[in-house]
Amino acid sequence: MTTTPASGPAATGAAAPEAAAPASGPVATPGTASSAPAGPAAVVLAVIPARGGSKGVPAKNLAPVAGVPLVGRAVRACLGARSVTHVVVSTDDPAIAAAARAAGAEAVHRPAAIAGDTATSEAAVLHAMDAFEATHGRTADVVLLVQCTSPFLTSAEVAETADRILTGAADTAFTAAPSHGFLWRETERGAEGVNHDKAHRPRRQDREPEYLETGAVYAMAAPGFRTHRHRFFGRTALVATDPARVLEIDDPHDLARAKALAPLLDAPVTPGFADVDAVVLDFDGTQTDDRVHLDAEGREFVSAHRGDGLGIAALRRAGLPVLILSTEQNAVVAARARKLRIPVLHGIDRKDRALKEWCETEGIDPQRVLYAGNDVNDLPCFHLVGWPVAVSSAHDSVRAAARAVTATPGGAGAVREIAAWLLGPELDTPVRADAARTTPARTTTEP
């Protein structure tokens, strides 16, 4: 089997949750599996199974949360883990493979025989290990199974789980959330306590916590995993995680919850100058407060923020192409673009199609585009670009889909804030080396 190497640094990927296979062979006694070597020589391979077929949520592994596909979020968590040296996405889906590579992962094509509904994650990991060793000529010391359906997994959790094996503390490890809940089981005799005597109700502080397996990350000493072909063997350690961050996406309701929680749980992330090759701006509600003033003759007036104009001018000086993309065909939009000396496409029914065509004409990768918007007609563009940004006054569904959200409302300097993300608070980042490709004084498209 062949792998497609990533073009980025370390590789990573993401996976849909799959049923665990039963262990084949006897379970080792604690401490008997060979420990992985610690130190810089250790090869820590993160494998993320991500099948294309999903019954509960179609194309689940590509579903965006805070503007990033689930597979991309898992990639990001693994790339940020200090001990992970290589990350591979195992998939049967070309679109998932492309998303994995775009995020910095290697992609391993998973054969149909281990990609069906009854396929196990263990089978995918073993196949990925074989492909990795064939491609790199090295064997893994520690192998991780990472699920992309746990959207709030952190790099620290990935690293800590791997470290349990690297330090020799355990043969296998997994993430788990502490719980003090009273569990019950329905029986023919009525409800019965599972982890407690119903006649005895100790206080929370008097009870030792129990732990719920999150399904997000598993780490195994690679030689032992090859022997036992199961994620649990030998001495097992758990890595306690924050229960508030535990969510496994199995159905559309879970996905909706993840999108709603992302603004609360994700660490604030804003792009820098090196992350973006172009800035595309919606007009109404992004560069204005979304209100329209009319005179007695029906002429429209809107208010724009001078700070936004300053920010756009600074972006142009830095060599970043800037485009206004608006659904409305309006002389006001054209006049504002003309004053700012930037191009405008307006009167557009399919903003995503117009944006894609513009990127192709300009030779810009959409994944390197920052798009700022405020309402649902901007969502198709959000799904196209690498940096979807919502202004703080945006509709809730738009904020949930954004990768970053401004602190400033539309029309009150939100574009100036975005420019400061990219150029610094003084708007003084040096000009890009490829600034010559931008024509600052492009002719504005008139209505």
Side-chain angles (χ1 to χ4, degrees), residues 336-352:
R336 181 62 175 165
R338 188 164 53 248
K339 179 176 178 61
L340 297 172
R341 299 174 64 200
I342 59 175
V344 58
L345 297 174
H346 58 145
I348 303 295
D349 290 331
R350 285 283 307 276
K351 296 174 77 172
D352 58 332

Side-chain angles (χ1 to χ4, degrees), residues 10 21 64 121-122 167 176 195 244 246 251 316 321 368 378 388 410 420 439-440:
S121 295
E122 278 85 349
T167 60
N195 62 346
V246 175
D251 60 41
R316 289 178 56 249
R368 303 272 305 167
D378 295 309
T439 306

Side-chain angles (χ1 to χ4, degrees), residues 170-197:
D171 304 291
T172 59
F174 66 102
T175 51
S179 170
H180 289 84
F182 292 107
L183 297 181
W184 292 80
R185 179 188 295 114
E186 190 76 60
T187 73
E188 293 180 357
R189 298 181 300 275
E192 294 183 352
V194 173
N195 62 346
H196 67 286
D197 178 354

Side-chain angles (χ1 to χ4, degrees), residues 226-425:
R226 280 202 177 279
T227 299
H228 298 284
R229 307 176 73 83
H230 191 267
R231 70 189 75 180
F232 292 119
F233 55 86
R235 182 180 179 85
T236 298
L238 62 82
V239 174
T241 62
D242 181 358
R245 302 183 63 85
V246 175
L247 173 63
E248 190 168 6
I249 296 177
D250 290 323
D251 60 41
H253 300 293
D254 296 330
L255 182 59
R257 287 174 59 208
K259 291 181 176 182
L261 288 169
L264 301 175
L265 296 179
D266 283 351
V269 176
T270 57
F273 190 61
D275 301 318
V276 172
D277 287 343
V279 174
V280 179
L281 304 169
D282 174 43
F283 188 73
D284 292 316
T286 300
Q287 298 180 62
T288 75
D289 62 5
D290 219 15
R291 295 186 298 171
V292 176
H293 304 279
L294 300 174
D295 67 10
E297 297 178 3
R299 290 176 297 190
E300 294 187 357
F301 302 87
V302 298
S303 298
H305 197 278
R306 290 194 181 276
D308 288 347
L310 183 67
I312 289 171
L315 293 172
R316 289 178 56 249
R317 285 196 305 272
L320 278 173
V322 182
L323 170 73
I324 294 177
L325 186 58
S326 177
T327 302
E328 294 238 0
Q329 182 159 335
N330 195 312
V332 172
V333 181
R336 181 62 175 165
R338 188 164 53 248
K339 179 176 178 61
L340 297 172
R341 299 174 64 200
I342 59 175
V344 58
L345 297 174
H346 58 145
I348 303 295
D349 290 331
R350 285 283 307 276
K351 296 174 77 172
D352 58 332
R353 181 182 298 169
L355 177 56
K356 186 174 182 180
E357 291 174 354
W358 181 80
C359 288
E360 290 174 352
T361 300
E362 298 295 321
I364 297 171
D365 180 357
Q367 289 299 305
R368 303 272 305 167
V369 171
L370 183 154
Y371 181 94
N374 77 302
D375 216 328
V376 292
N377 61 340
D378 295 309
L379 289 175
C381 291
F382 272 32
H383 300 153
L384 179 65
V385 304
W387 279 99
V389 174
V391 296
S392 67
S393 51
H395 189 276
D396 288 347
S397 62
V398 178
R399 289 169 54 90
R403 190 171 178 183
V405 179
T406 66
T408 313
V415 177
R416 170 63 173 79
E417 180 181 339
I418 292 169
W421 293 350
L422 303 179
L423 306 177

Side-chain angles (χ1 to χ4, degrees), residues 62-133:
L62 293 173
V65 171
V68 181
L70 287 174
V71 66
R73 291 176 69 92
V75 166
R76 186 167 63 189
C78 291
L79 286 177
R82 63 185 179 278
S83 51
V84 173
T85 59
H86 301 81
V87 190
V88 167
V89 173
S90 169
T91 184
D92 60 336
D93 188 295
I96 293 175
R101 288 192 292 268
E106 296 181 37
V108 173
H109 175 69
R110 197 191 317 185
I114 57 171
D117 290 342
T118 59
T120 67
S121 295
E122 278 85 349
V125 173
L126 287 165
H127 174 263
M129 290 172 68
D130 290 341
F132 170 81
E133 291 171 8

Side-chain angles (χ1 to χ4, degrees), residues 5-56:
S7 57
T12 184
E18 297 163 331
S24 58
V27 177
T29 55
T32 58
S34 57
S35 297
V43 175
V44 179
L45 173 66
V47 179
I48 307 168
R51 296 189 300 114
S54 174
K55 298 279 195 306

